[in-house]
């Protein structure tokens, strides 16, 4: 059995106090929300904070506020299960609720929070292992070693962005609030992630994520499509978030992000360029041909490597398939419920 190392546990009752404690202990401190990512990482000794700052007593970090016309704000400590149950979110942001509801299992979703999901550590088969396992291969670049074992000649780490909600929330243009000693700042989620398996966030370590802001639901349509081995449990090995705004049949805005296949939510830039201005109708053969051609452009930027579950070449080939499905989901007339097998 893997045991937690010794650490000091802090239980502040406000966001400001939590942030102050974290700043006081610098790199030796970590926030903990649901702990479903941090504690396994501590047990594996890939994260070794001497001070853990629990957010569970900070009531101001919980809850869902606002309305769909103005935009919705969710406290960072809102659990994924609470998102699944929320009637307003279910009615107005179904793609977001779907992305939250396909995270792991009900047990994990009862504990796991939206803040923790947005800041989830990047994952890799050579990193998410016990200390002894990692020591046997002389560790890896992300923790204690110098070589990235999935690409030994590469100067960088290729650990993978594996959160289910991130690609979708980037695609719809969500924002987050970050609290530091200098006050609170609001940042587009798209700017929070960096294409680096180690330094995968642009936020400062002592900044506390206080809230997630969903944009007003003013006519855009979104979808999240997830590929994994077991439909009831696993991390995404490919996750596509898509968002389209149409005027009549014409696409006037689009955004597409690919998760689970690189160190950040990869923008499918060329696909988006091909979609803008296109006329698309659900079930129309000419539209379908255009969607398939645009989706094929997502093949190249998808950086599937041999460091997660399932064959990397197959996952890369599946990217255009999942991108096409996600685009179709965003068209008027598409079925309301996403069936991951179709
Ligand atoms: C078996 C298993 C399966 C899983 N499957 C999936 C899956 O399919 N999809 C998926 O997306 N995830 C999955 N996860 C990962 C995890 O359970 C979820 O991502 C969950 O939402 C993480 O939230 P948390 O509150 O538990 O995060 P925590 O573990 O508490 O925190 C995660 C990280 O974020 C930091 N942090 C948390 N909150 C804040 C904050 N407010 N401000 C600043 N920093 C903060 C912590 O310091 C830590 O570094 C899985 C985990 C396990 C163990």
């Amino acid at each position: 059995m893997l045991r937690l190392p010794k650490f000091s546990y802090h239980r502040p009752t406000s966001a400001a106090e939590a942030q102050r404690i974290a700043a006081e202990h610098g790199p030796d401190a970590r926030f903990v929300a649901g702990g479903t990512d941090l504690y396994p990482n501590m047990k594996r000794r890939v994260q070794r904070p001497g001070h853990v700052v629990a957010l569970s007593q900070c009531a101001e970090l919980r809850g869902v506020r606002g309305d769909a016309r103005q935009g919705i704000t969710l406290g960072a400590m809102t659990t994924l299960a609470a998102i699944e149950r929320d009637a307003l979110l279910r009615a107005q942001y179904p793609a977001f609720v779907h992305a939250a509801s396909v995270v792991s299992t009900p047990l994990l979703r009862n504990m796991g929070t939206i803040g923790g999901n947005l800041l989830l550590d990047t994952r890799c088969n050579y990193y998410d292992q016990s200390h002894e396992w990692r020591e046997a291969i002389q560790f890896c670049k992300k923790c204690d070693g110098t070589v990235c074992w999935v690409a030994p000649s590469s100067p960088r780490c290729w650990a993978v962005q594996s959160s289910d909600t991130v690609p979708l929330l980037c695609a719809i243009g969500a924002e987050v609030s970050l609290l530091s000693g200098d006050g609170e700042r609001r940042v587009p989620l798209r700017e929070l992630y960096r294409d680096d398996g180690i330094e995968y966030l642009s936020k400062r370590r002592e900044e506390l994520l206080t809230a997630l802001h969903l944009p007003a639901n003013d006519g855009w349509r979104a979808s999240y499509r997830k590929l994994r081995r077991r439909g009831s449990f696993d991390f995404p090995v490919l996750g596509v978030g898509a968002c389209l705004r149409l005027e009549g049949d014409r696409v006037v805005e689009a955004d597409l992000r690919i998760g689970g296949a690189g160190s950040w939510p990869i923008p499918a830039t060329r696909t988006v360029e091909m979609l803008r201005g296109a006329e698309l109708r659900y079930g129309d053969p000419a539209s379908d041909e255009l969607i398939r051609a645009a989706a094929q452009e997502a093949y190249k930027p998808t950086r599937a490597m041999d460091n997660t579950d399932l064959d990397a070449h197959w996952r890369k080939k599946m990217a255009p398939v999942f991108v096409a499905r996600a685009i179709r989901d965003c068209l008027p007339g598409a079925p309301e419920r996403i069936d991951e097998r179709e």
Side-chain angles (χ1 to χ4, degrees):
M1 192 217 276
L2 295 177
R3 289 183 190 283
L4 281 170
K6 283 198 164 41
F7 58 91
S8 299
Y9 187 69
H10 303 261
R11 283 213 310 169
T13 53
S14 72
E17 191 189 351
Q19 195 285 318
R20 190 184 47 72
I21 297 170
E24 204 173 287
H25 296 284
D28 199 25
R30 287 278 172 157
F31 297 111
V32 68
T36 62
D37 180 48
L38 182 73
Y39 289 141
N41 280 343
M42 287 174 66
K43 287 182 177 182
R44 293 190 285 253
R45 307 301 192 262
V46 289
Q47 287 173 356
R48 297 176 287 239
H51 296 265
V52 172
V53 185
L55 303 174
S56 54
Q57 304 301 306
C58 304
E60 76 214 77
L61 296 178
R62 290 189 190 275
V64 180
R65 301 179 289 279
D67 61 61
R69 272 177 303 141
Q70 310 274 317
I72 301 266
T73 293
L74 292 91
M77 286 296 286
T78 308
T79 63
L80 299 170
I83 291 169
E84 273 184 278
R85 285 193 303 265
D86 190 280
L88 177 62
L89 292 174
R90 288 169 76 98
Q92 299 292 337
Y93 299 86
F96 171 50
V97 172
H98 175 72
S101 73
V102 293
V103 172
S104 190
T105 63
L107 287 178
L108 263 287
R109 295 195 295 275
N110 281 337
M111 288 302 293
T113 64
I114 188 62
N117 195 248
L118 295 178
L119 302 177
L120 184 68
D121 195 7
T122 51
R123 298 181 56 80
C124 176
N125 286 348
Y126 296 94
Y127 170 75
D128 296 298
Q129 303 288 350
S130 68
H131 182 88
E132 293 73 17
W133 192 103
R134 292 183 300 106
E135 188 177 30
I137 58 156
Q138 294 173 12
F139 302 106
C140 78
K141 197 175 186 67
K142 186 161 159 72
C143 185
D144 297 331
T146 53
V147 176
C148 171
W149 288 113
V150 68
S153 58
S154 170
R156 56 163 288 187
C157 160
W158 288 94
V160 180
Q161 188 286 127
S162 305
S163 156
D164 276 308
T165 64
V166 167
L168 183 272
L169 290 169
C170 286
I172 70 172
E175 298 185 345
V176 286
S177 290
L178 300 174
L179 179 70
S180 73
D182 305 331
E184 205 160 37
R185 65 183 179 119
R186 199 158 151 161
V187 179
L189 200 60
R190 290 170 189 156
E191 292 172 19
L192 187 65
Y193 301 101
R194 302 180 67 232
D195 188 11
D196 185 289
I198 298 171
E199 298 297 335
Y200 60 95
L201 294 174
S202 62
K203 89 169 188 65
R204 299 199 303 274
R205 189 174 288 249
E206 77 282 4
E207 281 184 306
L208 172 68
L209 194 154
T210 54
L212 165 71
H213 309 283
L214 305 180
N217 180 353
D218 55 2
W220 49 264
R221 299 168 70 97
S223 171
Y224 178 67
R225 287 278 181 167
K226 172 174 183 172
L227 177 66
R228 54 179 160 178
R229 185 183 292 267
R230 293 166 295 182
S232 60
F233 185 78
D234 287 324
F235 277 94
V237 290
L238 179 70
V240 176
C243 182
L244 298 189
R245 185 190 297 276
L246 286 95
E247 278 173 9
D249 293 335
R250 190 175 296 281
V251 178
V252 291
E253 271 178 56
D255 200 286
L256 260 139
R257 306 278 152 162
I258 302 165
S263 297
W264 70 327
I266 300 165
T269 312
R270 184 74 195 112
T271 302
V272 166
E273 280 167 10
M274 286 179 68
L275 290 178
R276 279 204 197 108
E279 295 212 352
L280 299 179
R281 281 175 296 281
Y282 185 76
D284 165 52
S287 303
D288 224 43
E289 203 171 304
L290 200 152
I291 290 171
R292 265 202 298 272
Q296 194 54 40
E297 296 292 328
Y299 179 80
K300 208 170 163 192
T302 303
R303 305 296 292 265
M305 298 183 85
D306 197 14
N307 59 348
T308 67
D309 194 14
L310 299 176
D311 178 79
H313 299 290
W314 181 73
R315 281 165 48 223
K316 190 167 163 72
K317 281 190 190 159
M318 288 306 281
V321 177
F322 273 56
V323 167
R325 288 177 186 174
I327 296 169
R328 274 187 224 110
D329 291 339
C330 297
L331 300 181
E336 291 293 315
R337 273 180 70 88
I338 291 173
D339 184 340
E340 297 288 354
R341 292 160 302 182
E342 286 174 356

